[in-house]
Amino acid sequence: MTSSVLDLAPVVPVVVLEDAADAVPLARALVAGGLPAIEVTLRTAAALDAIRAIAAEVPDAVVGAGTVISARNVSDTVAADARFLVSPGWTDALLDAMKASGVPFLPGVSTTSEVVALLERGVTEMKFFPAEAAGGTAYLKALSAPLPQARFCPTGGISLASAPSYLALPNVGCVGGSWMVPADAVSAGDWARVERLAAEAAALRG
């Protein structure tokens, strides 16, 4: 795997799974559509089993864990074979745990001070969250001049329509979104629809 999560694909699907049995067919549909990096959020009881299943059964997928907010989350998800970690925000303790994991990670930021604090700690790749609520493309564009060394994966409120304006920014490597994994398609097992939406997302370029 590339050392950077930001360079795997233009879009990282942000997946919430209620049933771990959906994990493998969903991951296969996303990979077939051209989106190999998959962020499974720790918002449900099925998340760890889902990560484990994708890691074991979908070799072309690069499965990561989202909503990582504690050192316990880090150890649990790495034990489940998560290959990258994403947090909505960060603390010193969480950052230390993510650094010690040996797995690529994207700590979440929404202010300039948080970005500067991470740069001070040697971290240059971050999640910008919640992207739309925190200022969107205008905010990220404003950060690029004083802090060009910081690169972002904006996530939160991004759609197929708005993603290209983010991807056009020099400090954005990819975006995170869930529009290609709509809950009704997942619950219905409509993997063909997921693959089609993934292919549209994979075709996005800044």
Side-chain angles (χ1 to χ4, degrees):
M1 158 179 169
T2 171
S3 60
S4 174
V5 180
L6 300 182
D7 298 326
L8 289 169
V11 180
V12 176
V14 179
V15 175
V16 180
L17 284 168
E18 300 293 342
D19 186 347
D22 292 328
V24 168
L26 176 66
R28 286 178 176 150
L30 291 170
V31 170
L35 299 180
I38 302 167
E39 176 188 333
V40 177
T41 69
L42 299 183
R43 299 179 198 174
T44 67
L48 287 174
D49 285 338
I51 290 168
R52 203 173 286 114
I54 294 170
E57 298 183 47
V58 192
D60 292 332
V62 180
V63 63
T67 324
V68 174
I69 57 171
S70 68
R72 175 67 183 271
N73 287 163
V74 173
S75 58
D76 285 350
T77 52
V78 172
D81 291 328
R83 293 173 63 187
F84 64 91
L85 309 172
V86 184
S87 69
W90 67 278
T91 64
D92 286 329
L94 179 57
L95 188 67
D96 288 344
M98 290 194 294
K99 278 189 161 188
S101 73
V103 173
F105 59 91
L106 295 173
V109 296
S110 60
T111 69
T112 308
S113 294
E114 290 170 326
V115 175
V116 172
L118 283 176
L119 292 173
E120 199 174 76
R121 297 283 300 269
V123 178
T124 59
E125 298 187 344
M126 312 164 195
K127 170 178 175 170
F128 179 60
F129 177 82
E132 288 287 284
T137 54
Y139 194 98
L140 285 170
K141 188 174 182 180
L143 287 182
S144 64
L147 301 170
Q149 63 274 54
R151 293 180 74 216
F152 301 95
C153 173
T155 305
I158 298 175
S159 66
L160 180 66
S162 62
S165 59
Y166 281 95
L167 292 167
L169 297 173
N171 56 350
V172 170
C174 64
V175 300
S178 54
W179 74 85
M180 76 298 299
V181 285
D184 58 339
V186 175
S187 61
D190 189 352
W191 310 125
R193 181 180 170 205
V194 171
E195 181 177 343
R196 186 171 68 252
L197 292 170
E200 287 180 350
L204 292 174
R205 290 294 181 270

